[in-house]
Amino acid sequence: MGDLAEAPLPEAASLLRLKVPELSRILGAGQPVPLSRVATLAEAALIGDGLLAFGIETVTVAHIDLHLETSARKIRALELSDDSLTAIPTSGIDQVTVRWDEVTLLVAGRLILNRQETEERKRRGRKQTVDSRQLSSDESVLDLYGKSDEINWRINANNFDFSCLGPAKAVTTFENFAALISLLRERAMKAQFDDSYNQARPALATVWPVEQEMRTGEWRRSGAGKFDVATVTTTDNEAQLTRYSRLRHCLRRRELMNSK
């Protein structure tokens, strides 16, 4: 991605159907992030040619290459040997083993969940909020990719057995997660480590907004002439993180193929 002069910025933004501040935020991310989602490869090529005239180099990644129809393999533990690591999944599926020199990418990120619960009361046709609660969680995760993998192994820090650290295992999850990343980077010397997701999140939101789900219960009688209903709004960035992780995997695979 090249530098973009001030003059063509509005034209480039118009081509992408973005606002100028949105495009500026994306270009300022310092990482490959999506500029647009289009329906066909022909449209992508047309936009790519237009952006190249403004000094912006692009790469087209097909939606199918992200394999979003398949969820990440959730990993509860790792077994390490001198030449390989074995992932033990949280479900009953078979274990997966990969040689250290076949681990190509490690992607670190955070899963952020916000849940807002609002309870309203209706009496004589009028509504009023009677209670409101907000809950949030923030969890570190690490995605691992082997050379032949289409999807990621995902380690959720709060649901992982850090026994593979041996004597280096500490008291807190924070310390253990940092030690695990350090150990994997040391052993998987050919793997690229990417911890850019947290920094790239504002730019990603333009094309891959964080998903929000709202559920409203049924009205229930709470007293004479009074009816209550609860509405739960959940905001979750897991889908966004997975898209970004798979995108980085696609780009890493292309990089390795081009280096042969």
Side-chain angles (χ1 to χ4, degrees), residues 52-174:
L52 189 59
F54 299 130
I56 304 176
E57 297 180 10
T58 61
V59 174
T60 299
V61 176
H63 179 83
I64 193 173
D65 291 339
L66 300 181
H67 299 280
L68 297 176
E69 74 285 352
T70 306
S71 300
R73 298 188 186 100
K74 299 292 182 69
I75 303 303
R76 63 178 175 84
L78 291 174
E79 294 180 353
L80 313 181
S81 69
D82 290 340
D83 60 358
S84 65
L85 74 159
T86 298
I88 302 173
T90 57
S91 63
I93 61 176
D94 294 337
Q95 299 178 7
V96 182
T97 299
V98 63
R99 292 178 57 88
W100 287 114
D101 59 6
E102 293 181 337
V103 180
T104 58
L105 180 65
L106 305 170
V107 180
R110 304 191 73 84
L111 290 180
I112 301 170
L113 174 68
N114 291 301
R115 176 186 174 95
Q116 171 120 21
E117 300 178 4
T118 302
E119 190 169 335
E120 292 183 311
R121 176 164 296 166
K122 182 168 66 174
R123 186 177 186 183
R124 297 175 181 174
R126 300 177 60 183
K127 295 181 183 179
Q128 68 177 99
T129 300
V130 294
D131 192 15
S132 181
R133 298 175 296 278
Q134 186 160 343
L135 305 172
S136 62
S137 63
D138 186 343
E139 180 181 22
S140 296
V141 300
L142 181 68
D143 287 348
L144 292 84
Y145 293 91
K147 182 187 298 185
S148 60
D149 288 334
E150 298 291 353
I151 63 172
N152 49 305
W153 309 3
R154 174 159 291 175
I155 293 173
N156 292 66
N158 295 344
N159 296 286
F160 186 75
D161 179 357
F162 290 97
S163 296
C164 60
L165 296 176
K169 185 177 179 182
V171 176
T172 68
T173 299
F174 177 82

